[in-house]
Amino acid sequence: MTGSKAKRGAMWLGAGAALLVLAATGAAAQPLTVVELFTSQGCSSCPPANANLIKVKDRSGVLALSFNVTYWDYLGWKDTFGREEFTQRQVNYEPSLGRSGPFTPQVVVNGDADAVGARPGEIEQLIASSGRIKGPSLSLSGGKIAIGAGKAPAGRADVWLVRYRQGVIEVPVARGENTGRTLPHANVVHALKKLGSWTGEATTFSLPADSSGLSTAVLVQSPGGSILAAAAN
C-alpha cells in the first residue's frame, strides 16, 4: 500500500483504535450498583444471605461487598473478619433507612435501600428496583483517584477507600450459633478508610499503595446515606 491509499489506511486504523479506546473507556465508566451485606459468622440467619450475595458478585455493573460486624461475638464465636468500623458503618445507615438499629443479615443497595437479603432472589429484586447512581465521574488510575465536578448534597460527600478480597472464602466455625458449619463469604472487606471529602469541585486523591493483594474500591457517599459514585479496580 503506497501514497494516498497508505494514508487512508493509516487514518482508518487510527480511527478504529480510537473507537476501541472509547468503547473500553465507556465500559470502565459504567455506573456500579453497590451491594453491601452486613453479616456475621455468629448469626445463624446469615448463611442464606451470604449465599445470595455469591450469586450476584460477578454480575456486570455490580460491586458486591461483605462487611462482617462484631455485635454477635458475645454468642461464643469471634467473627474472623469482624471490625468495629464495619459495625459503625452499618449503624450510620440505620436512621436514613428508617431502622431503629442494626441487624443481620442486612443488605444495603447504593446506600439508600435495604432488605434482609436471605430469601431467594431478594438481592436481585433489590438491585432491579434501585435507581442507577447519578453522581460525579470517578476513576482509579496511575495511583490517583479522580472525581469530577458535580453537585454534592448538603455541600459535601465522604470519599471512602475499601480493600476487599475478591472471590469466595470458606470459614469453618467452631463455636456459637453456627457451630460445625463452614460458611462461604463473598468479596470480604478487610479495610475501610475515609480519605477525605468531595465538595462538588473536580478533585483528585492519592490512592494509597497496597501490597496485600486485595482489590480496591472507592465510594463517594453522602454521610450515612446515598452512594453518589463508585469505582473498583
Side-chain angles (χ1 to χ4, degrees):
M1 185 180 294
T2 59
S4 61
K5 289 184 178 180
K7 185 176 181 180
R8 286 196 300 270
M11 291 175 63
W12 184 88
L13 288 172
L19 287 172
L20 288 174
V21 170
L22 286 172
T25 303
Q30 177 186 10
L32 292 175
T33 296
V34 182
V35 181
E36 302 174 64
L37 171 62
F38 293 94
T39 184
S40 172
Q41 295 162 9
C43 162
S44 61
S45 301
C46 285
N50 290 359
N52 285 340
L53 192 73
I54 290 172
K55 293 176 183 177
V56 303
K57 72 177 182 62
D58 294 323
R59 180 180 292 188
S60 176
V62 169
L63 173 61
L65 300 169
S66 291
F67 286 92
N68 285 50
V69 298
T70 57
Y71 47 82
W72 296 126
D73 288 357
Y74 79 94
L75 294 177
W77 176 256
K78 183 176 174 59
D79 194 297
T80 58
F81 302 129
R83 302 282 292 269
E84 289 296 336
E85 56 264 41
F86 304 162
T87 300
Q88 189 59 51
R89 180 171 178 81
Q90 185 187 21
V91 169
N92 291 345
Y93 269 136
E94 305 308 347
S96 64
L97 293 172
R99 304 292 187 178
S100 59
F103 60 93
T104 55
Q106 183 183 25
V107 173
V108 179
V109 172
N110 292 341
D112 56 16
D114 78 316
V116 173
R119 295 194 303 270
E122 191 172 13
I123 295 178
E124 288 91 335
Q125 292 170 9
L126 193 59
I127 292 172
S129 63
S130 297
R132 304 190 81 181
I133 290 177
K134 296 179 180 179
S137 62
L138 174 63
S139 63
L140 314 180
S141 180
K144 296 290 184 182
I145 301 164
I147 308 173
K151 183 177 181 180
R156 72 174 184 91
D158 298 326
V159 181
W160 292 99
L161 175 69
V162 181
R163 305 284 196 189
Y164 66 102
R165 180 72 64 188
Q166 194 168 13
V168 177
I169 301 173
E170 302 276 351
V171 180
V173 178
R175 295 182 300 279
E177 289 190 349
N178 289 311
T179 298
R181 303 183 68 175
T182 297
L183 306 182
H185 296 67
N187 293 0
V188 174
V189 176
H190 288 258
L192 176 69
K193 181 181 180 181
K194 183 180 174 182
L195 297 180
S197 297
W198 173 74
T199 58
E201 297 181 356
T203 187
T204 61
F205 292 85
S206 295
L207 182 61
D210 177 66
S211 59
S212 62
L214 297 174
S215 295
T216 297
V218 173
L219 310 175
V220 180
Q221 183 171 23
S222 297
S226 299
I227 294 174
L228 308 176
N233 63 7

